[in-house]
Amino acid sequence: MPMIDHITDEQADLIRNAKVFFVASADPTFGDGPNGEGPVNLSPKGAADLQVIDSHTIAYFDYRGSGNETARHTAAGGPITVMVTSFDEDAAIVRLYGHAVAKPLEESVLAEQAEALRAVEMPTPERQVIEISVDCTQTSCGYGVPLYEYQGERSQEERGRRYK
């Protein structure tokens, strides 16, 4: 599939309707990974937090309770990839490639949305907001994506701590 230099309306719709997304980042300053970058950190996220700001910007709430590798990698200038997929009959995948910054909630593009979310109850305290400048995007058909049924978000009590 060809690369596109912005988020299309169709991609934005998929992003807004997805239930999960994945974030991959790498530290460009050390490691034996591709192009001399460090190992890639890959994390699943709840898609309700991923917001399309404009055709070149997305942002999401980053919560406490996991490592802080994405923020560390972005501070070092590393690349970031966000993958959003649908798991229904019309499977599709959108990949967004770019660079990001981690910002305190008060200084982020999501500051106003946070107030509305707090009225409904945020699942865990936010640590920061990851703002991503999208350089290019790519859409694929999702041929290999299995069909899954969304059951809901985990409550704070249900969030696994077994491996922490």
Side-chain angles (χ1 to χ4, degrees):
M1 292 292 179
M3 295 288 222
I4 302 169
D5 69 351
H6 65 282
I7 302 167
T8 67
D9 291 340
E10 184 178 58
Q11 290 171 332
D13 286 343
L14 189 142
I15 292 166
R16 288 183 189 104
N17 292 313
K19 302 297 184 196
V20 66
F21 70 100
F22 301 86
V23 176
S25 61
D27 184 338
T29 62
F30 81 91
D32 297 324
N35 302 317
E37 296 169 343
V40 174
N41 180 63
L42 176 63
S43 300
K45 307 286 184 183
D49 295 320
L50 184 60
Q51 305 290 316
V52 176
I53 307 305
D54 59 40
S55 65
H56 291 278
T57 312
I58 56 175
Y60 69 90
F61 293 105
D62 184 42
Y63 297 109
R64 292 185 179 103
S66 62
N68 202 13
E69 291 298 290
T70 303
R72 187 176 66 76
H73 293 165
T74 61
I80 191 165
T81 300
V82 174
M83 186 184 83
V84 180
T85 185
S86 58
F87 291 99
D88 58 16
E89 298 81 24
D90 297 323
I93 299 169
V94 172
R95 290 179 184 87
L96 305 118
Y97 305 97
H99 289 82
V101 294
K103 290 188 176 179
L105 178 64
E106 309 77 42
E107 298 173 20
S108 77
V109 295
L110 297 182
E112 286 184 26
Q113 289 94 321
E115 292 306 315
L117 286 173
R118 281 198 177 100
V120 178
E121 178 185 345
M122 295 177 90
T124 60
E126 70 281 348
R127 171 174 38 216
Q128 61 212 352
V129 170
I130 305 294
E131 293 181 15
I132 302 165
S133 296
V134 176
D135 299 325
C136 59
T137 69
Q138 186 178 40
T139 302
S140 59
C141 68
Y143 175 80
V145 175
L147 188 63
Y148 279 98
E149 185 176 315
Y150 178 72
Q151 294 182 7
E153 298 292 324
R154 295 180 193 276
S155 69
Q156 194 166 356
E157 296 78 33
E158 295 170 328
R159 292 179 186 268
R161 299 286 187 242
R162 179 176 176 189
Y163 297 103
K164 293 228 27 123

